[in-house]
Amino acid sequence: MTWTNQLRDSQPTSTSFRDFTQSLPPFFFSSNFSATKHSCLSPLTATMAAAAAIFLFLLISSAAAAPEPRPQTFIVHVSQSHKPALFSSHRDWYASILPHPSALLYTYSHAAAGFSASLTADQASRLLRTPGILSVVPDQIRHLHTTHTPSFLGLSPSSPLSLNSANGDGVIIGVLDTGIWPLHPSFDDAAFPAAADKIPAKWRGVCESGKDFPAAACNRKLIGARAFYKGYESYRGRPIDETKESKSPKDTEGHGTHTASTAGGSVVTNASLFGYAAGDARGLAPSAWVAAYKICWSPGCFDSDILAAFDQAVDDGVDVISLSVGGSYPPPYDSDSIAIGAFAAAKKGIVVSCSAGNSGPGAYTATNIAPWILTVGASTVDRDFPADVVLGDGSVHRGVSLYGGDGLPEGELLPLVYSADCGSRYCYSGNLDPAKVKGKIVLCDRGGNARVEKGASVKLAGGAGMIMANTDLEGDELLADAHLIPATMVGATEGDKIRAYIQSAASPSATIQFRGTVIGEDTPPAPKVASFSSRGPNRVTPEILKPDVIAPGVNILAGWTGAAAPSDLEIDPRRVTFNIISGTSMSCPHVSGLAALLKGAHPDWSPAAIKSAMITTATTFDNSGENINDLATGKGTTPFVYGAGHVVPNAAVSPGLVYDLNTTDYVSFLCSSGYSASRIAVIFGEPIASDVCEHAPALTAGPGDLNYPSFSVVFKPKSDVVTYKRVVKNVGSSVDAVYEIKVNAPVNVDVQVSPTKLVFSKESSSLAYEITFSSSVVGFDNGAASQSFGFVEWSDGVHKVRSPIAVQWRQGGSVESI
């Protein structure tokens, strides 16, 4: 699990075939990988490489006298037109080419074309040679990457978006996560009409029952729930242990209940966590229906299960899919099950919102970056939970905490020690010396283990309290936690000061003052970008700017399961109705709920139009009127970190212009990115003509020519001019609107737009323009920057349609460090 409460510095390793194959690029198992400008492998070489990789593993295993590896899960993409006529169904065909019909786990027909099966390495290699097989990809494990946030976003019952969308009434949000706690008040249906015909006829979903999840668990709010576990059980090699995990849609982790209630939870009065963040809790789209698809289990979320859930959600009839799950790196789109499933959803008019990941602040860390996905980073809100450290010298150091028990002795300072002097810098459990810790407050460094676990370790050693200090990696980002001991978190700057005090004072001492919940003027300016939020540039297609936007993802209150503690630690006996956690997992459902509102307000808009509305109306300013800062650096940030900026829901409902896209546009994009027809067929889940790229409308400037609402420009040696074409559609109330351009050019770049004025009419509701970027950097000399940023903005005097510009100068295949 990678919502930020559970981050670890290291992961266990093993020598299984799964680990071996996952260390290889996914295209090693594709018969379609072709030589392009992005690759040095021919189709034959790629296929031989796949076979060689499998043979090498078997050879190494044999040499080591290891037992034959047990079957593993593979996802197999097929050309459905190759089904022999003698088979009545594709499922029968798939079963016939497998060693045994029982090896078949799932068949995919809506989110992809193909199946997943339990195979040995040798069987997977031989399957590649079967006519009609496009690729064989090893199953991968992915990981899970509010009372006040609607108000912070400007949403209220009388706000423009709420009124225009009826709070999401009529929209179905599908949440792919850890399941759902059906008895939670966020999914109460009292506010929903009792008439059976209120649920739309298009809904084809069901409420799957289980030992601990009766069919009656669903209602007029929670209209569907399913569980997908065949990939997980194949990984285990045995059935799920139902004494430890629920095989039903029931959420025993908490994450799925939190994300579902954030996106579409009903209004719940008097919500809080131990009295913190008290108020009325509501999802972004409280009148929307919710359907839960359980895809994540104790080790993580398996691609075979994720793709099966996409397949089912598309067929069930959802309008929005919310997915707060991702991998450690973004693979090519035809090897990315989330990208493949999301594309199938987009073709059906379904908006797919995904978390960017929690691997910041490093560059190139964003995942879920296909252009048909709405990729969301995380930011703060103007609500704080101050728990300040007061040192023996009288200095006060800002911290945050959600500790809900008895405080430290009032008016008394306790001895203060640094954990590195007591046996464990990171306060690992069992490693602190009780003789040095007992009765004292311990300063622990962040990292290495779960944040709440550090306090538990101090408590186990007899400590009285804990101060957790960020390192330079996290900067001054503050994440509040429900600690088991009086404890607080301080930023890197304050942590350095406290360490210095411990080293210099003869008898260092401290206390922690818990000040509850603070909202508004007494909090730091917001939003700020969370340091953990994954960033661009886009690793797969640098000409597409990712992430798209940021949204609230730090210290978010939402529903929680009754089966797990707020700290997610087994030693924690507490149970709560609401919990406060952080991560891009929390920002994603905010945008999913916003997408549901926009879908309700504009049911005829495409997923691309809804995304465009969010991007072009986003803000780059905080609530003090200053530029949004990055918590990792304490300084201003860029579109590679926050995309277009922070979402502004009430502006998105009336964006003025939208940049729209359709299936043909994505074909052209993939062709310009070097994908062959057979690789495109994997993504499309349907047969593609072998000469499709010869007939698709050309993107003359490459992938960046896609009609995307932002601009990511890559200058390379001997390529100092880039021209893109864009088409905008007038969706404002005035059919004869006139828009004029404003340009804020990046440093060292000249930007020219033609025409500079767009005159719309009833007959001309969509108009095109060209934008040319010219670099003034000559020969990548060392006096220039490697990145530069700006924006263009179309305005009719009422609307401001803003598109960010991110520029890179690249030497060969990597960013030029100049």
Side-chain angles (χ1 to χ4, degrees), residues 324-341:
S324 294
V325 169
S328 57
Y329 72 97
Y333 304 129
D334 59 326
S335 298
D336 185 343
S337 291
I338 291 177
I340 293 169

Side-chain angles (χ1 to χ4, degrees), residues 145-422:
H145 274 163
T146 83
T147 53
H148 180 63
T149 49
S151 175
F152 179 70
L153 292 171
L155 292 174
S156 68
S158 60
S159 64
L161 180 53
S162 298
L163 291 174
N164 279 279
S165 67
N167 285 312
D169 184 27
V171 180
I172 304 170
I173 303 173
V175 183
L176 278 59
D177 212 293
T178 63
I180 201 157
W181 189 255
L183 299 178
H184 196 279
S186 291
F187 310 115
D188 182 84
D189 65 354
F192 285 71
D197 61 0
K198 179 62 178 174
I199 297 176
K202 71 173 184 178
W203 176 245
R204 296 177 293 274
V206 299
C207 191
E208 289 184 355
S209 60
K211 293 180 180 179
D212 53 1
F213 200 96
C218 295
N219 55 28
R220 297 187 303 273
K221 171 68 174 179
L222 176 62
I223 61 173
R226 298 178 185 265
F228 300 86
Y229 50 78
K230 292 179 181 178
Y232 173 39
E233 287 193 330
S234 175
Y235 168 84
R236 285 172 53 88
R238 59 189 183 280
I240 291 173
D241 183 351
E242 295 189 62
T243 65
K244 297 180 179 179
E245 290 185 271
S246 171
K247 202 171 181 175
S248 77
K250 183 178 180 180
D251 179 17
T252 56
E253 300 283 347
H255 192 274
T257 301
H258 199 280
T259 56
S261 59
T262 299
S266 299
V267 177
V268 181
T269 60
N270 300 317
S272 72
L273 172 65
F274 305 136
Y276 290 100
D280 292 348
R282 64 188 292 269
L284 266 286
S287 296
W289 289 296
V290 173
Y293 299 83
K294 185 174 181 178
I295 57 169
C296 297
W297 308 89
S298 55
C301 322
F302 294 82
D303 270 6
S304 54
D305 295 328
I306 293 172
L307 199 55
F310 263 113
D311 204 65
Q312 192 63 64
V314 170
D315 188 49
D316 283 349
V318 303
D319 298 299
V320 177
I321 289 177
S322 185
L323 181 68
S324 294
V325 169
S328 57
Y329 72 97
Y333 304 129
D334 59 326
S335 298
D336 185 343
S337 291
I338 291 177
I340 293 169
F343 187 83
K347 284 197 299 180
K348 296 291 187 179
I350 301 168
V351 181
V352 180
S353 170
C354 293
S355 50
N358 299 336
S359 299
Y364 297 97
T365 51
T367 61
N368 300 324
I369 52 180
W372 46 86
I373 291 175
L374 183 46
T375 310
V376 189
S379 59
T380 63
V381 298
D382 65 338
R383 179 178 61 193
D384 206 5
F385 308 104
D388 299 333
V389 177
V390 180
L391 299 180
D393 62 4
S395 61
V396 179
H397 303 269
R398 177 175 172 263
V400 296
S401 179
L402 298 170
Y403 173 69
D406 295 333
L408 296 170
E410 188 173 351
E412 181 180 344
L413 297 176
L414 298 180
L416 175 65
V417 294
Y418 180 32
S419 57
D421 301 325
C422 303

Side-chain angles (χ1 to χ4, degrees), residues 421-434:
D421 301 325
C422 303
S424 176
R425 174 189 174 190
Y426 296 113
C427 292
Y428 288 124
S429 183
N431 288 1
L432 292 173
D433 184 350

Side-chain angles (χ1 to χ4, degrees), residues 390-392 408-409 412-418 422 435-443 458 462-467 501-502 506-512:
V390 180
L391 299 180
L408 296 170
E412 181 180 344
L413 297 176
L414 298 180
L416 175 65
V417 294
Y418 180 32
C422 303
K436 297 180 178 180
V437 168
K438 186 175 181 179
K440 300 174 182 177
I441 296 175
V442 181
L443 176 71
V458 171
M466 190 265 291
I467 302 166
Y501 165 74
I502 293 174
S507 299
S509 60
T511 190
I512 302 172

